[in-house]
Amino acid sequence: MTTSSTPPAGRARPFFWEEAADDWRSACEAGRRPEFSEYVARSLRALREGVGREAGTVPAMCPAHRVSLRDDGLDRLPDRYVAEHCTLTLFGLHQHTASEPVHRPGVGLGTACLLLRRSEALTEAAVERRLIAAATAQDLHELVQHLQRLVPLLRQAGVGLDYTRLFRELTAWDGPDRNRVLRAWGLQYTDPGTADPTEVAADEEPDGRERAPYWVTFEPGSPDAGAELAALRSGTGREPGTVAAMWPFHRTRMVSEWRNRGSLTRDLAAEHTALTLFARHQQTHDRRMHVTGNSPGTAVGLIARKAITDSEGKAATAALERRFGHLLTSADADELAMHLRSFAPLLNRVGVGLDYDLLRTALRTWDDPRRPHAAGRFRQRWDRDYHSTVTASS
C-alpha cells in the first residue's frame, strides 16, 4: 500500500491531510519526536472549529483548503469546495489526539468499518448500523452528520481512512456516481478475505473458498429471519451492491482493485438477483425454499402437476407453459430475472422450492459472451426437467 502524498499531475499541492501525514513522517525520518509541527497542530484546531459550520464561514480554515474559489459572481460555493470543507472537518475530528496520522491511502470507508468490526471495539451489529445509516443518507449534509459520529470511533480503535478518497466520494454523493460509491463501501465491508486462518468464521472455508450463500445457511425459525428477508426484498429492482441493508448477506468474492472501484460484476449482479428472489420466495414459509436439484423446469413442472387436479387444470397448465416458454426464451440475464420474479409469488403460494445455487449460475452465465452455449444448455435442461416432472407418476 502506497503512503506517498505526491499530488497527481494537475494538482499543484497535496491536500492538507496528505501534508499532515508527510509532516509527521518527516519528523520520524529526521530522528525527532514523532509529532506534528506547530503549523499542522494549529490547523487541526481550526478544522475542528469548522465542525457543523457552513463551508467558507470559518476564516481559520482557509489555509487548509486546496480547492480554490474564483470570483465568478455566483453565491453558491462549488461542490468540490463544500466537499473539501466537510472532509477537512472530519479529518480534524479523526486526527484529534491520535498518536499517528489517520490518513491512510487505500483504506476506504467500507474497509475502515470492516477493520472497526474486527477490532471488537463495537459489536458487529453496531458497526453495521452506523455504516448503513451513513449509506442511506439522503444528502451530503446528512451523510457528514453520520460520519462525524463514526470517525471518533475509528480513532479510538486505531483505524485510519483514506481522506483523499473520501473527498472524491463526498464530491460525488449528490450526483449520479453515488451508486458506485455505495457499491465500493459495501464490497469493501463484505470482503471475506483474511490473512490469518485462525480468524476464519464458522461459515467460511479455511482455504479461501467463498462462504456458503445466504440461502444455504438461512434458518427459517431464527428470530431475525423476518427482518433479514425484508432487508433482501428491499433490493428488488435496485442496482446490485447499492442497497446497504443487503450488504451483510453478500458473499461475492472479487479482487481488491474491483472492490475499491465499486465494480458491478456479473457475479455480484447474479447474487443480488438470487437473494431478492429467494427473499420473496421464502417469506411465510417455515422450511427452507432452497432445494438442491430443483431447477425452474422442475419447480414449474411440480406446479403444473398440482394444477392438473384442479377444476381448471388444463387452462392453468397451458398458461403456465406459456409463461415458462417466455422464461426459456429470455434474451439476456435481465429478462431472465424479470420472468423469474413473476414466478416467485406463485412458487411461494404453492410452497415449491428452487435450487438457488443453480439459479445464480444461470443468471451469471446466461448472456456471458465467454460462454456462448450456456443459455442453450440451461434451456434444454430446464425444458427436459419440466416435461419429465409433469409426466412423472404421482
Side-chain angles (χ1 to χ4, degrees):
M1 180 184 299
T2 180
T3 58
S4 173
S5 295
T6 302
R11 178 149 62 88
R13 186 178 176 187
F15 287 113
F16 173 75
W17 47 85
E18 296 171 338
E19 283 190 350
D22 282 345
D23 178 83
W24 188 90
R25 281 192 293 271
S26 295
C28 294
E29 291 167 0
R32 301 193 304 271
R33 181 179 177 183
E35 61 183 4
F36 294 113
S37 66
E38 177 56 30
Y39 158 71
V40 171
R42 185 171 62 252
S43 297
L44 287 171
R45 290 193 293 271
L47 300 188
R48 293 194 294 276
E49 290 178 20
V51 174
R53 305 274 295 277
E54 187 176 343
T57 65
V58 186
M61 286 184 63
C62 290
H65 275 283
R66 302 293 178 262
V67 176
S68 60
L69 287 177
R70 289 177 295 183
D71 187 9
D72 51 12
L74 298 178
D75 292 334
R76 184 176 180 273
L77 292 171
D79 292 341
R80 279 172 54 82
Y81 188 87
V82 175
E84 188 186 28
H85 168 86
C86 296
T87 309
L88 285 167
T89 59
L90 291 168
F91 174 69
L93 282 176
H94 196 169
Q95 188 63 68
H96 183 49
T97 73
S99 59
E100 295 183 357
V102 298
H103 169 57
R104 309 278 174 82
V107 180
L109 184 67
T111 301
C113 287
L114 176 61
L115 295 172
L116 177 61
R117 188 186 79 194
R118 289 177 175 171
S119 75
E120 299 184 352
L122 292 177
T123 65
E124 180 174 345
V127 175
E128 287 178 3
R129 188 166 59 249
R130 285 164 171 78
L131 178 58
I132 290 174
T136 52
Q138 296 300 303
D139 54 33
L140 179 61
H141 176 70
E142 183 184 348
L143 171 60
V144 171
Q145 287 183 322
H146 288 297
L147 294 179
Q148 286 170 353
R149 292 189 284 270
L150 179 59
V151 293
L153 300 174
L154 297 177
R155 181 187 67 233
Q156 292 166 17
V159 176
L161 189 61
D162 186 334
Y163 275 87
T164 305
R165 180 187 182 92
L166 184 64
F167 164 68
R168 293 196 298 266
E169 293 171 339
L170 296 186
T171 303
W173 189 256
D174 288 331
D177 287 334
R178 182 189 296 192
N179 278 352
R180 181 174 285 276
V181 173
L182 286 171
R183 189 159 45 244
W185 290 356
L187 288 168
Q188 292 163 13
Y189 182 70
T190 58
D191 189 346
T194 178
D196 185 351
T198 64
E199 295 178 1
V200 177
D203 59 346
E204 184 173 348
E205 297 292 340
D207 60 2
R209 287 177 292 167
E210 66 180 271
R211 294 167 60 189
Y214 173 78
W215 49 81
V216 172
T217 60
F218 174 74
E219 294 294 340
S222 69
D224 298 325
E228 291 174 357
L229 294 175
L232 295 177
R233 289 196 300 273
S234 72
T236 303
R238 307 271 296 278
E239 188 173 320
T242 66
V243 185
M246 292 183 66
W247 290 346
F249 311 106
H250 279 291
R251 305 290 182 261
T252 297
R253 300 182 72 95
M254 65 177 71
V255 296
S256 296
E257 181 183 356
W258 291 4
R259 286 184 175 276
N260 287 331
R261 288 206 309 254
S263 300
L264 177 52
T265 64
R266 289 179 177 274
D267 288 321
L268 180 64
E271 184 188 34
H272 171 90
T273 300
L275 284 168
T276 58
L277 287 169
F278 174 75
R280 297 179 69 189
H281 187 179
Q282 181 65 54
Q283 61 181 334
T284 73
H285 286 286
D286 57 4
R287 61 185 178 86
R288 193 179 298 151
M289 287 292 102
H290 165 63
V291 177
T292 302
N294 267 22
S295 72
T298 302
V300 176
L302 289 170
I303 297 172
R305 279 176 55 184
K306 292 184 178 183
I308 291 172
T309 61
D310 296 339
S311 58
E312 299 179 359
K314 185 175 290 187
T317 302
L320 269 175
E321 288 184 346
R322 283 195 300 273
R323 291 175 62 184
F324 184 57
H326 292 322
L327 183 150
L328 290 181
T329 56
S330 297
D332 53 34
D334 287 340
E335 185 180 348
L336 176 63
M338 178 187 71
H339 290 303
L340 288 168
R341 279 194 291 270
S342 74
F343 273 106
L346 181 58
L347 294 169
N348 171 268
R349 187 164 62 249
V350 299
V352 171
L354 199 57
D355 188 333
Y356 279 87
D357 287 335
L358 171 66
L359 204 64
R360 178 178 61 177
T361 301
L363 288 163
R364 164 66 181 80
T365 59
W366 193 268
D367 55 359
D368 188 342
R370 295 168 299 181
R371 297 172 173 82
H373 305 297
R377 293 193 182 102
F378 281 116
R379 289 184 181 110
Q380 292 174 4
R381 175 182 169 182
W382 294 357
D383 186 56
R384 184 170 60 249
D385 289 347
Y386 172 79
H387 290 289
S388 62
T389 303
V390 169
T391 58
S393 58
S394 303

